[in-house]
């Protein structure tokens, strides 16, 4: 049995799949196939039937029905179901991690990490299911009390990207479920197989516990299917992860019907390396940030802003670290970096390289596309580094590829200015052992990003914090902390337990 057959059989999948499900059942729709090619070896690994409007519409009715059941289930009991999903994910961790690696192209270690991130958010959501607190406040009126409650919204639409094909869904779905919502998920059309696998895992747990179909919905397709979600007034919240271009169109469509959005869009993340940095930590953090997931994380490190006193030393360390990197089949654990998602992404990498060179960038570590044995898919590229000026147009854009831009600074204020002078605002870091400059970077006058780290790279956030960013990143927050509040509606309650009806603000209205 080859790897693909083994994975399909262990995960209960086949190479021809239906792409619309409202739980354990799958809708036998007819329509065009979505084809999933592995960037690892270029092979066609699955065909998935795209969701058509009729089955989408039927699914939404199932979801509406299921919501009326699910919202009445006590939150800790909902947490218990999510706990079981976490247990099921633990059982499937290796197979699912391998499938993520094979379908998306990230290293097997990172595939496992992604499934671990799902398990972690399940655990977080279980705890949260007993902590959906509201406040109480003193009323200004005698024999009155005030409190607030958090209620579920209804249907949450989740649009996820290829680069974290399963974890980002789980951040949204697990939190949504303990909050009492039902979910409909549109995964990236580039990674439908991992999505189908997750839908099966969750759908089986709901079914085993006797819950109706429609708590977990899956639809597969392209931008038109995403637009159905954005425009559908039956969907109270759309949580979308992907490019800024996609996010803007989702935001406009949802806002025009006054729906809610959580947007997690592009990043252009930088690390400032100060003269007080531990250069071992700084180099390792920068290299993992730039090269991990082949530079295809929203949180990937794209810019290094280095103080002139340590600039040459950092450059030397980077060149020697990049020389050790092994690029190849991501399922082989000795390789650090796998392929880009597809040849279109390779084209974008090449276009960015050409453009930045035209602007005057100097090569530090050369770019290139690999060919020959093991690289038949045409998706393997060399991670590269350029010396640039911060104002170059390409330096202000997010290219989803392992391209790192190196630039020099003299004062911390200048470094922070360069750092913030891009349209995106997701993740950021400073490498410093000096408490003053570190805290300056974290202050209101420092990084303008949603995530700001000290002596840690820009990628690899833990699920316990709220995840998201500012400016063109979209402003949404997902995952930990109190991000759950965006998945619920707040209700303020004032209760009169007296035998009079005093009015607020002391208004008298006697009849
Ligand atoms: C993303 O790239 O969209 O912080 C998510 C990280 C991961 C999640 C990235 N935990 O790099």
């Amino acid at each position: 049995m080859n790897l693909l057959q083994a994975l399909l059989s262990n995960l209960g999948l086949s190479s021809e799949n239906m792409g619309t499900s409202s739980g354990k059942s799958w809708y036998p729709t007819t329509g065009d196939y979505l084809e999933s090619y592995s960037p690892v070896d270029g092979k066609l690994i699955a065909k998935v039937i795209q969701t058509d409007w009729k089955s989408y519409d039927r699914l939404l009715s199932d979801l509406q029905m299921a919501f009326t059941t699910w919202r009445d289930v006590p939150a800790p009991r909902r947490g218990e179901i999510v706990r079981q999903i976490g247990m099921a994910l633990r059982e499937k961790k290796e197979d699912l991690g391998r499938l993520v690696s094979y379908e998306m192209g990230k290293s097997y270690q990172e595939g496992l990490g992604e499934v671990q991130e799902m398990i972690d958010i399940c655990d977080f959501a279980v705890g949260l299911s007993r902590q959906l607190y509201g406040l109480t406040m003193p009323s200004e009126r005698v024999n009155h009390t005030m409190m607030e409650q958090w209620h579920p919204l209804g249907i949450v639409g989740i649009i996820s990207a290829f680069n974290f094909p399963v974890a980002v869904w789980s951040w949204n779905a697990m939190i949504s479920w303990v909050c009492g919502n039902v979910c409909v998920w549109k995964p990236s059309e580039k990674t439908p197989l991992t999505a189908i696998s997750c839908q099966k895992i969750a759908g089986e747990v709901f079914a085993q516990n006797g819950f109706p179909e429609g708590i977990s919905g899956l639809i597969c397709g392209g931008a038109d299917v995403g637009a159905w979600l954005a425009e559908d007034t039956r969907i109270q919240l759309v949580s979308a992860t992907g490019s800024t271009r996609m996010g803007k169109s989702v935001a406009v469509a949802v806002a025009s019907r006054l729906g809610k959005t959580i947007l997690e869009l592009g990043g252009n993340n930088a690390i400032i390396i100060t003269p007080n940095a531990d250069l071992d930590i700084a180099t390792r953090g920068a290299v993992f940030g730039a090269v991990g997931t082949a530079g295809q994380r929203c949180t990937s490190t794209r810019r290094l802003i280095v103080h002139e006193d340590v600039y040459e030393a950092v450059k030397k360390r980077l060149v020697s670290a990049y020389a050790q990197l092994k690029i190849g089949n991501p399922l082989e654990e000795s390789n650090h970096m796998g392929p880009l998602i597809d040849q279109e992404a390779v084209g974008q990498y090449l276009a960015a390289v050409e453009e930045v060179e035209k602007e005057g960038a100097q090569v530090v570590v050369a770019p290139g596309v690999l060919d020959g044995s093991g690289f038949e898919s045409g998706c393997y590229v060399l991670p590269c580094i350029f010396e640039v000026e911060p104002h170059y147009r390409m330096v202000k854009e997010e290219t989803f590829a392992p391209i790192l831009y190196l630039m020099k600074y003299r004062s911390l204020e200048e470094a922070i200015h360069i750092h913030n002078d891009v349209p995106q605002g997701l993740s950021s870091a400073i490498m410093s052992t000096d408490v003053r400059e570190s805290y300056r970077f974290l202050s209101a006058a420092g990084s303008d990003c949603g995530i700001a780290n000290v002596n840690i790279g820009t990628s690899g956030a833990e699920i316990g914090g709220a995840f998201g960013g500012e400016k063109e990143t979209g402003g949404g927050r997902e995952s930990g902390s109190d991000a759950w509040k965006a998945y619920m509606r707040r209700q303020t309650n004032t209760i009169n337990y007296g035998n009079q009806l005093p009015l607020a603000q002391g208004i008298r209205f006697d009849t």
Side-chain angles (χ1 to χ4, degrees), residues 117 163-164 168 171 241 264 296-299 458-461 467:
E117 199 158 338
N163 64 335
F164 272 78
V168 171
W171 297 350
T241 304
E264 199 259 281
Q296 298 171 106
R297 292 191 186 209
C298 299
T299 52
T458 56
S459 65
F467 185 93

Side-chain angles (χ1 to χ4, degrees), residues 387-403:
E387 278 177 310
V388 298
E389 294 295 329
H391 64 264
Y392 289 175
R393 193 176 63 81
M394 284 318 291
V395 174
K396 300 198 182 217
E397 276 186 24
E398 177 190 47
T399 305
F400 238 43
I403 305 173

Side-chain angles (χ1 to χ4, degrees), residues 10 20 85 119 128 147 164 170 176 202 218 232 249 256 286 359 368 371 382 387 429 447 480 488 499:
N10 292 353
T20 313
I85 295 173
I119 294 168
L128 180 65
M147 65 177 190
F164 272 78
S170 73
S176 287
L218 177 76
D232 197 329
S249 80
S256 73
E359 289 187 277
D371 56 15
L382 292 171
E387 278 177 310
S447 165
M488 304 198 85
N499 52 12

